[in-house]
PDB file of all heavy atoms in Angstrom:
ATOM      1  N   LYS A  36       7.033   7.172   5.679  1.00 94.00           N
ATOM      2  CA  LYS A  36       5.627   6.770   5.778  1.00 94.00           C
ATOM      3  C   LYS A  36       5.344   6.155   7.147  1.00 94.00           C
ATOM      4  O   LYS A  36       4.307   6.424   7.748  1.00 94.00           O
ATOM      5  CB  LYS A  36       5.279   5.752   4.682  1.00 94.00           C
ATOM      6  CG  LYS A  36       5.189   6.338   3.305  1.00 94.00           C
ATOM      7  CD  LYS A  36       4.855   5.241   2.308  1.00 94.00           C
ATOM      8  CE  LYS A  36       4.992   5.709   0.885  1.00 94.00           C
ATOM      9  NZ  LYS A  36       4.708   4.649  -0.077  1.00 94.00           N
ATOM     10  N   ARG A  37       6.268   5.345   7.619  1.00 94.00           N
ATOM     11  CA  ARG A  37       6.109   4.713   8.934  1.00 94.00           C
ATOM     12  C   ARG A  37       6.082   5.774  10.033  1.00 94.00           C
ATOM     13  O   ARG A  37       5.245   5.718  10.931  1.00 94.00           O
ATOM     14  CB  ARG A  37       7.251   3.719   9.178  1.00 94.00           C
ATOM     15  CG  ARG A  37       7.159   2.996  10.499  1.00 94.00           C
ATOM     16  CD  ARG A  37       8.299   1.965  10.638  1.00 94.00           C
ATOM     17  NE  ARG A  37       8.176   1.220  11.872  1.00 94.00           N
ATOM     18  CZ  ARG A  37       8.722   1.593  13.028  1.00 94.00           C
ATOM     19  NH1 ARG A  37       9.435   2.702  13.105  1.00 94.00           N
ATOM     20  NH2 ARG A  37       8.567   0.861  14.116  1.00 94.00           N
ATOM     21  N   THR A  38       6.971   6.740   9.957  1.00 95.00           N
ATOM     22  CA  THR A  38       7.008   7.819  10.943  1.00 95.00           C
ATOM     23  C   THR A  38       5.705   8.600  10.935  1.00 95.00           C
ATOM     24  O   THR A  38       5.142   8.897  12.000  1.00 95.00           O
ATOM     25  CB  THR A  38       8.199   8.761  10.667  1.00 95.00           C
ATOM     26  OG1 THR A  38       9.414   8.032  10.836  1.00 95.00           O
ATOM     27  CG2 THR A  38       8.191   9.957  11.592  1.00 95.00           C
ATOM     28  N   LEU A  39       5.202   8.944   9.753  1.00 94.00           N
ATOM     29  CA  LEU A  39       3.947   9.687   9.658  1.00 94.00           C
ATOM     30  C   LEU A  39       2.786   8.885  10.233  1.00 94.00           C
ATOM     31  O   LEU A  39       1.916   9.436  10.910  1.00 94.00           O
ATOM     32  CB  LEU A  39       3.665  10.071   8.202  1.00 94.00           C
ATOM     33  CG  LEU A  39       4.634  11.059   7.558  1.00 94.00           C
ATOM     34  CD1 LEU A  39       4.289  11.252   6.086  1.00 94.00           C
ATOM     35  CD2 LEU A  39       4.645  12.385   8.284  1.00 94.00           C
ATOM     36  N   LYS A  40       2.783   7.587   9.981  1.00 94.00           N
ATOM     37  CA  LYS A  40       1.710   6.733  10.497  1.00 94.00           C
ATOM     38  C   LYS A  40       1.763   6.650  12.018  1.00 94.00           C
ATOM     39  O   LYS A  40       0.733   6.767  12.694  1.00 94.00           O
ATOM     40  CB  LYS A  40       1.816   5.340   9.888  1.00 94.00           C
ATOM     41  CG  LYS A  40       0.749   4.397  10.378  1.00 94.00           C
ATOM     42  CD  LYS A  40       0.909   3.008   9.811  1.00 94.00           C
ATOM     43  CE  LYS A  40      -0.132   2.085  10.437  1.00 94.00           C
ATOM     44  NZ  LYS A  40       0.125   0.700  10.173  1.00 94.00           N
ATOM     45  N   ILE A  41       2.940   6.450  12.568  1.00 95.00           N
ATOM     46  CA  ILE A  41       3.083   6.363  14.023  1.00 95.00           C
ATOM     47  C   ILE A  41       2.684   7.682  14.672  1.00 95.00           C
ATOM     48  O   ILE A  41       1.968   7.705  15.680  1.00 95.00           O
ATOM     49  CB  ILE A  41       4.522   5.970  14.411  1.00 95.00           C
ATOM     50  CG1 ILE A  41       4.792   4.520  13.999  1.00 95.00           C
ATOM     51  CG2 ILE A  41       4.760   6.162  15.906  1.00 95.00           C
ATOM     52  CD1 ILE A  41       6.238   4.087  14.124  1.00 95.00           C
ATOM     53  N   ALA A  42       3.123   8.796  14.096  1.00 95.00           N
ATOM     54  CA  ALA A  42       2.778  10.114  14.644  1.00 95.00           C
ATOM     55  C   ALA A  42       1.271  10.345  14.589  1.00 95.00           C
ATOM     56  O   ALA A  42       0.664  10.817  15.552  1.00 95.00           O
ATOM     57  CB  ALA A  42       3.517  11.212  13.887  1.00 95.00           C
ATOM     58  N   ARG A  43       0.658  10.001  13.462  1.00 95.00           N
ATOM     59  CA  ARG A  43      -0.792  10.172  13.319  1.00 95.00           C
ATOM     60  C   ARG A  43      -1.546   9.350  14.355  1.00 95.00           C
ATOM     61  O   ARG A  43      -2.445   9.842  15.031  1.00 95.00           O
ATOM     62  CB  ARG A  43      -1.225   9.751  11.920  1.00 95.00           C
ATOM     63  CG  ARG A  43      -2.731   9.963  11.688  1.00 95.00           C
ATOM     64  CD  ARG A  43      -3.244   9.233  10.480  1.00 95.00           C
ATOM     65  NE  ARG A  43      -3.375   7.821  10.811  1.00 95.00           N
ATOM     66  CZ  ARG A  43      -3.137   6.820   9.983  1.00 95.00           C
ATOM     67  NH1 ARG A  43      -2.738   7.045   8.763  1.00 95.00           N
ATOM     68  NH2 ARG A  43      -3.283   5.578  10.359  1.00 95.00           N
ATOM     69  N   GLU A  44      -1.173   8.099  14.492  1.00 95.00           N
ATOM     70  CA  GLU A  44      -1.865   7.235  15.437  1.00 95.00           C
ATOM     71  C   GLU A  44      -1.589   7.639  16.880  1.00 95.00           C
ATOM     72  O   GLU A  44      -2.460   7.508  17.739  1.00 95.00           O
ATOM     73  CB  GLU A  44      -1.492   5.782  15.186  1.00 95.00           C
ATOM     74  CG  GLU A  44      -2.060   5.265  13.869  1.00 95.00           C
ATOM     75  CD  GLU A  44      -1.739   3.811  13.600  1.00 95.00           C
ATOM     76  OE1 GLU A  44      -1.125   3.155  14.455  1.00 95.00           O
ATOM     77  OE2 GLU A  44      -2.121   3.335  12.521  1.00 95.00           O
ATOM     78  N   SER A  45      -0.401   8.148  17.149  1.00 94.00           N
ATOM     79  CA  SER A  45      -0.077   8.607  18.500  1.00 94.00           C
ATOM     80  C   SER A  45      -0.930   9.809  18.881  1.00 94.00           C
ATOM     81  O   SER A  45      -1.426   9.896  20.010  1.00 94.00           O
ATOM     82  CB  SER A  45       1.405   8.972  18.606  1.00 94.00           C
ATOM     83  OG  SER A  45       2.200   7.825  18.423  1.00 94.00           O
ATOM     84  N   LEU A  46      -1.096  10.721  17.945  1.00 91.00           N
ATOM     85  CA  LEU A  46      -1.916  11.902  18.212  1.00 91.00           C
ATOM     86  C   LEU A  46      -3.405  11.557  18.285  1.00 91.00           C
ATOM     87  O   LEU A  46      -4.197  12.312  18.831  1.00 91.00           O
ATOM     88  CB  LEU A  46      -1.680  12.965  17.137  1.00 91.00           C
ATOM     89  CG  LEU A  46      -0.308  13.622  17.163  1.00 91.00           C
ATOM     90  CD1 LEU A  46      -0.114  14.509  15.941  1.00 91.00           C
ATOM     91  CD2 LEU A  46      -0.120  14.426  18.437  1.00 91.00           C
ATOM     92  N   SER A  47      -3.773  10.405  17.747  1.00 91.00           N
ATOM     93  CA  SER A  47      -5.174   9.976  17.782  1.00 91.00           C
ATOM     94  C   SER A  47      -5.501   9.149  19.016  1.00 91.00           C
ATOM     95  O   SER A  47      -6.599   8.620  19.124  1.00 91.00           O
ATOM     96  CB  SER A  47      -5.500   9.163  16.522  1.00 91.00           C
ATOM     97  OG  SER A  47      -5.370   9.968  15.383  1.00 91.00           O
ATOM     98  N   GLY A  48      -4.545   9.010  19.920  1.00 88.00           N
ATOM     99  CA  GLY A  48      -4.812   8.326  21.178  1.00 88.00           C
ATOM    100  C   GLY A  48      -4.227   6.939  21.310  1.00 88.00           C
ATOM    101  O   GLY A  48      -4.512   6.240  22.283  1.00 88.00           O
ATOM    102  N   ASN A  49      -3.415   6.511  20.363  1.00 87.00           N
ATOM    103  CA  ASN A  49      -2.834   5.172  20.424  1.00 87.00           C
ATOM    104  C   ASN A  49      -1.355   5.184  20.802  1.00 87.00           C
ATOM    105  O   ASN A  49      -0.630   4.237  20.496  1.00 87.00           O
ATOM    106  CB  ASN A  49      -3.009   4.462  19.080  1.00 87.00           C
ATOM    107  CG  ASN A  49      -4.459   4.212  18.756  1.00 87.00           C
ATOM    108  OD1 ASN A  49      -5.260   3.959  19.641  1.00 87.00           O
ATOM    109  ND2 ASN A  49      -4.803   4.307  17.491  1.00 87.00           N
ATOM    110  N   SER A  50      -0.907   6.233  21.470  1.00 89.00           N
ATOM    111  CA  SER A  50       0.519   6.333  21.788  1.00 89.00           C
ATOM    112  C   SER A  50       0.966   5.248  22.761  1.00 89.00           C
ATOM    113  O   SER A  50       2.113   4.798  22.704  1.00 89.00           O
ATOM    114  CB  SER A  50       0.850   7.712  22.343  1.00 89.00           C
ATOM    115  OG  SER A  50       0.120   7.955  23.527  1.00 89.00           O
ATOM    116  N   SER A  51       0.082   4.789  23.645  1.00 91.00           N
ATOM    117  CA  SER A  51       0.485   3.764  24.617  1.00 91.00           C
ATOM    118  C   SER A  51       0.877   2.457  23.918  1.00 91.00           C
ATOM    119  O   SER A  51       1.799   1.769  24.367  1.00 91.00           O
ATOM    120  CB  SER A  51      -0.632   3.514  25.631  1.00 91.00           C
ATOM    121  OG  SER A  51      -1.786   3.042  24.976  1.00 91.00           O
TER     122      SER A  51
END
Side-chain angles (χ1 to χ4, degrees):
K36 287 179 190 178
R37 181 177 183 270
T38 296
L39 294 175
K40 180 183 175 192
I41 291 171
R43 182 195 76 216
E44 291 181 3
S45 295
L46 291 172
S47 296
N49 295 326
S50 60
S51 61

